[in-house]
Amino acid sequence: MRIVVLGPPGAGKGTQAERLADDCGVPLISTGDILRDEAASGSGIGERIERRMAEGRLVPADLVTDLVRQRIDRPEARSRGFVLDGYPRTMDEARALDDALSDRDTALDLVLLLEAEREVLIDRLSGRIRCTRCGAVYHERLNPPPGGRCSRCGNTEFEKRDDDRPEAVERRLDEYRRQTEPVVDHYREAGLLRRVDASGDIEHVWNRTRRQVDARS
Ligand code: AP5
């Protein structure tokens, strides 16, 4: 399966995409995570990426597209497919992905759009924390680490993301409206889009997500 997960910041893309990739037995390609790793590497390009992300601005499309192409060319992604979280999010990126897949004689099977009200998004982003060791994502109130320990690696320290500050969140929501909503239309017109009500707890959203994937398979 080749699946794209779209949606505004805080809709739960990362949370659902990780589970979906696991469930389908395909690699997860999360551009947010790939870019955060690049930023943490301390390279010159990493510093530029880090600044843009902290401000809530998109990273240049050609740079992100190169990173995505490398991932979809890995043998596991070539043979089994992938779940793409957070890409494409501009029309340039969407066209680049269409071209990359068609050059490889393949295509997307499904695009999932996670949708939730603005208050829900803000609430989720303002309480998000992640493990300082492995990066696993939790929420202070809605999805706390069980017993204060990361269930993936056992660490007890958590941090907030720089771009979850209110002013960066506003800019990210604005970028989504301006740059990503046209991408949603592009996939709707292509007949690939399936909408998922992303309000409610993680389990409910997962059931709705799974149903949309089952309906397509
Ligand atoms: P990225 O990391 O992809 O950020 P985003 O798209 O803004 O999405 P988020 O990660 O904030 O939210 P999410 O929808 O994944 O929600 P999550 O599951 O974490 O990108 C960051 C930056 O990288 C961009 O701003 C840009 O600069 C750059 N970038 C990335 N891709 C790019 C691209 N293609 N082109 C250019 N630049 C790019 O959940 C949020 C919180 O809610 C968590 O605390 C979680 O535990 C909780 N939660 C989730 N679901 C539920 C639920 N159902 N109920 C209760 N709590 C929930």
Side-chain angles (χ1 to χ4, degrees), residues 4-18:
V4 160
V5 182
L6 289 180
K13 299 182 296 297
T15 304
Q16 300 298 328
E18 185 177 352

Side-chain angles (χ1 to χ4, degrees), residues 69 72 95-106:
R69 278 206 202 100
I72 63 175
R95 282 189 281 263
L97 179 64
D98 288 349
D99 291 348
L101 293 176
S102 116
D103 288 348
R104 289 158 181 78
D105 288 325
T106 184

Side-chain angles (χ1 to χ4, degrees), residues 46-58:
E47 280 175 22
R48 243 180 79 210
I49 291 174
E50 189 172 22
R51 264 199 309 278
R52 287 193 76 95
M53 288 176 82
E55 288 168 1
R57 291 179 197 279
L58 294 182

Side-chain angles (χ1 to χ4, degrees), residues 7-17 30-33 35-36 49 52-61 64-65 68 85-90 93 114 120-121 123-129 137-140 142-144 161 163-164 168 172 175-176 198-206:
K13 299 182 296 297
T15 304
Q16 300 298 328
S30 159
T31 47
D33 287 347
L35 292 168
R36 274 185 286 280
I49 291 174
R52 287 193 76 95
M53 288 176 82
E55 288 168 1
R57 291 179 197 279
L58 294 182
V59 171
V64 189
T65 296
V68 169
D85 161 25
Y87 182 95
R89 59 177 94 195
T90 67
E93 291 181 355
L114 301 188
V120 173
L121 305 176
D123 189 31
R124 288 183 185 168
L125 294 174
S126 62
R128 171 166 47 195
I129 48 173
V137 174
Y138 299 92
H139 189 282
E140 290 166 330
L142 302 169
N143 177 29
R161 256 170 58 173
D163 60 348
D164 281 343
R172 285 160 62 204
E175 291 275 43
Y176 179 79
S199 59
D201 65 33
I202 292 173
E203 220 39 50
H204 278 101
V205 180
W206 167 245

